[in-house]
Amino acid sequence: MKRHFSNIALLCALLAGIVCCDGQERGVRLTVDEDLRKADVYIDGKLFTSYIYPADMEKPVLYPVYTARGTVVTRGFPRDPRAAERVDHPHHVGIWFNFGDVNGLDFWNNSFAIPESHKPRYGAIRHRAFTYVRGGRDAGELTVACDWVDHAGTTLLEETTRFIFKGKGSWRLIDRTTVLTARHDSVVFTDNKEGLIAIRVDRAFEEPADRPEMLLDADGRPGDRPVVCNEGVNGVYRNSEGLEKESGVWGKPARWVSLSAEKNDEQITLAILDHPSNPGYPAHAHARGYGLFSVNNLGSRAYNPSSPPFRLTLKRGETVTLRHCIAVKTDGFATDDELNALAAEMK
């Protein structure tokens, strides 16, 4: 679709390095629509992802997510169901960040599917404001403020998250820095496998299944019986230690974890890279063959019973900072050397 600019808008875009002299859009552009509760991120004129915070969701997410060639890599269910997708875990949407045990509240599993009578056991993350939005030739920045609240609306944590979006050739990168500040007398993160930064991936990135599962039919509706269907399913996990598949990667600490698959004759790699300054570095992988791709800095014994339990306590006013990079590469799978180089840049 062609985009039309007024003379003033075109001049501003040129000065910002967004539109080249040939009229082609270059760089990163962000647009905010608070009425639609979202911010769209465009790289070289193509939608990369959107930061959304719908009223019917219990956390903000990045959704959907596309490669540089425009291929979607996130699952559609439950927001935009597609044929042959799994019908499970309605709280798995796009890319998100939360945790399963904060002062005994489960922020991870909360969704519209939780009965109202059970809601007091869960926490939610509420978007409060966009505090900084800027595009540019080399990168774009989106900074948001959120509140981690209990069922009564009491704020346990204030969140400030800074997203840096970058694109270069076949790569798309998201650098995420999240600062959590305790607004309760004591906020405790107790060892739990349900965390921390995650992607629920498209069907192609799952590992082939060996047992029947409930899938959506061609019209995006739940089927009437479980089936085994591995058409187009070819995902392979790999971590920085050279381990592969869910059986090798799950629960293991690693500097990075990748997930590669072919979709529409396109070789695609997704990767989550941990930052050395994070608590619990290197993070453990909560990476499942059915399509959940997550790494967790706040779980230890949850993955290895012989490990000491992890526990992080913040007193009122204290903060913790967590940094991660999410990479999406197309036109050839990412190599270990490429991912190691990205990890080295996170020093």
Side-chain angles (χ1 to χ4, degrees):
M1 178 183 296
K2 293 184 178 179
R3 304 183 188 279
H4 302 284
F5 297 83
S6 69
N7 290 337
I8 293 176
L10 178 59
L11 176 60
C12 292
L14 284 166
L15 292 173
I18 297 296
V19 177
C20 295
C21 295
D22 61 3
Q24 297 297 310
E25 189 173 339
R26 296 287 185 268
V28 183
R29 176 168 57 89
L30 295 98
T31 62
V32 172
D33 190 326
E34 293 187 304
D35 290 335
L36 294 180
R37 303 173 71 90
K38 70 171 185 170
D40 294 328
V41 182
Y42 296 88
I43 298 181
D44 295 341
K46 295 181 179 179
L47 182 64
F48 170 42
T49 190
S50 299
Y51 171 91
I52 65 171
Y53 52 105
D56 62 349
M57 285 180 56
E58 302 292 354
K59 59 183 178 290
V61 302
L62 297 178
Y63 171 87
V65 180
Y66 299 94
T67 69
R69 287 174 55 181
T71 298
V72 67
V73 298
T74 43
R75 180 177 72 159
F77 179 84
R79 302 201 66 78
D80 304 291
R82 301 192 292 266
E85 288 187 325
R86 292 175 183 263
V87 184
D88 63 42
H89 300 86
H91 51 283
H92 290 177
V93 179
I95 298 175
W96 72 95
F97 179 102
N98 61 10
F99 192 61
D101 190 340
V102 183
N103 280 16
L105 298 176
D106 183 351
F107 284 78
W108 178 272
N109 288 288
N110 201 359
S111 79
F112 63 84
I114 300 298
E116 189 61 32
S117 61
H118 294 175
K119 282 288 191 178
R121 308 174 192 172
Y122 295 82
I125 303 174
R126 302 301 184 205
H127 171 89
R128 181 165 16 99
F130 294 104
T131 61
Y132 191 80
V133 182
R134 185 182 70 175
R137 177 182 292 274
D138 298 319
E141 178 179 339
L142 178 69
T143 302
V144 299
C146 301
D147 296 317
W148 293 45
V149 302
D150 64 15
H151 185 57
T154 302
T155 299
L156 279 66
L157 296 159
E158 289 183 356
E159 172 187 332
T160 299
T161 291
R162 179 180 183 236
F163 299 96
I164 301 294
F165 301 99
K166 295 178 282 187
K168 184 176 182 181
S170 61
W171 289 86
R172 296 290 181 261
L173 301 172
I174 305 168
D175 291 327
R176 175 178 179 137
T177 301
T178 293
V179 179
L180 299 175
T181 303
R183 287 293 174 249
H184 196 269
D185 289 341
S186 182
V187 179
V188 181
F189 299 81
T190 303
D191 199 309
N192 192 285
K193 71 177 177 65
E194 307 286 34
L196 177 68
I197 185 167
I199 314 170
R200 183 58 194 258
V201 296
D202 175 81
R203 182 88 166 124
F205 294 87
E206 297 178 17
E207 291 185 350
D210 57 4
R211 62 182 181 181
E213 301 284 351
M214 291 299 298
L215 303 177
L216 298 176
D217 64 18
D219 296 319
R221 296 176 300 194
D224 56 6
R225 60 185 176 83
V227 297
V228 176
C229 176
N230 288 317
E231 183 177 357
V233 176
N234 65 114
V236 177
Y237 283 109
R238 182 175 173 83
N239 71 11
S240 57
E241 311 311 301
L243 301 174
E244 291 193 336
K245 301 182 179 181
E246 178 189 340
S247 58
V249 167
W250 191 87
K252 305 297 194 308
R255 292 173 293 119
W256 54 260
V257 183
S258 70
L259 177 56
S260 297
E262 287 193 18
K263 181 181 179 183
N264 301 336
D265 297 321
E266 188 175 344
Q267 292 184 328
I268 304 167
T269 295
L270 314 176
I272 305 177
L273 298 91
D274 196 21
H275 195 280
S277 67
N278 286 339
Y281 177 86
H284 289 72
H286 183 24
R288 296 296 197 185
Y290 63 77
L292 170 67
F293 179 15
S294 173
V295 300
N296 186 359
N297 296 86
L298 308 181
S300 180
R301 182 173 287 181
Y303 303 105
N304 183 353
S306 64
S307 295
F310 185 93
R311 185 181 178 91
L312 173 65
T313 301
L314 300 178
K315 300 296 184 183
R316 183 187 294 270
E318 291 183 338
T319 67
V320 61
T321 299
L322 292 132
R323 298 175 60 188
H324 301 89
C325 175
I326 295 176
V328 182
K329 184 183 185 297
T330 186
D331 295 332
F333 299 134
T335 66
D336 287 6
D337 286 345
E338 288 174 318
L339 293 173
N340 285 332
L342 275 180
E345 292 174 5
M346 298 181 70
K347 300 298 185 184

